[in-house]
Amino acid sequence: MLPQELDGVTLLVDVPLAGLQAGDVGTIVAITRADDGRLRYTIEIERPEGGTADGQLIDLDASQFGLD
């Protein structure tokens, strides 16, 4: 089953440039197609304790997150 908008996700990899770590959670807010034809997922990151990444948007491919 392909990920859908509003699905909850957990990052499987660190994204150091964005200050994110594997285990951070978020929600898919948009799905687009990259120039190479692959699907890209815009994830809104949530952190229960808040912090600088709370509400941050990042584009990932499906191999970088797992569905909750």
Side-chain angles (χ1 to χ4, degrees):
M1 182 166 121
L2 290 175
Q4 302 294 314
E5 285 186 20
L6 302 181
D7 282 349
V9 300
T10 301
L11 297 186
L12 299 176
V13 297
D14 292 340
V15 187
L17 293 176
L20 302 174
Q21 299 176 349
D24 286 342
V25 296
T27 303
I28 298 172
V29 295
I31 302 171
T32 56
R33 192 165 298 279
D35 291 339
D36 63 5
R38 293 186 304 164
L39 291 176
R40 298 292 290 175
Y41 300 87
T42 301
I43 311 294
E44 182 176 19
I45 300 300
E46 306 149 5
R47 290 208 172 137
E49 72 280 358
T52 56
D54 197 40
Q56 178 177 353
L57 297 176
I58 185 163
D59 289 330
L60 301 174
D61 65 50
S63 68
Q64 297 173 296
F65 63 84
L67 294 176
D68 290 346

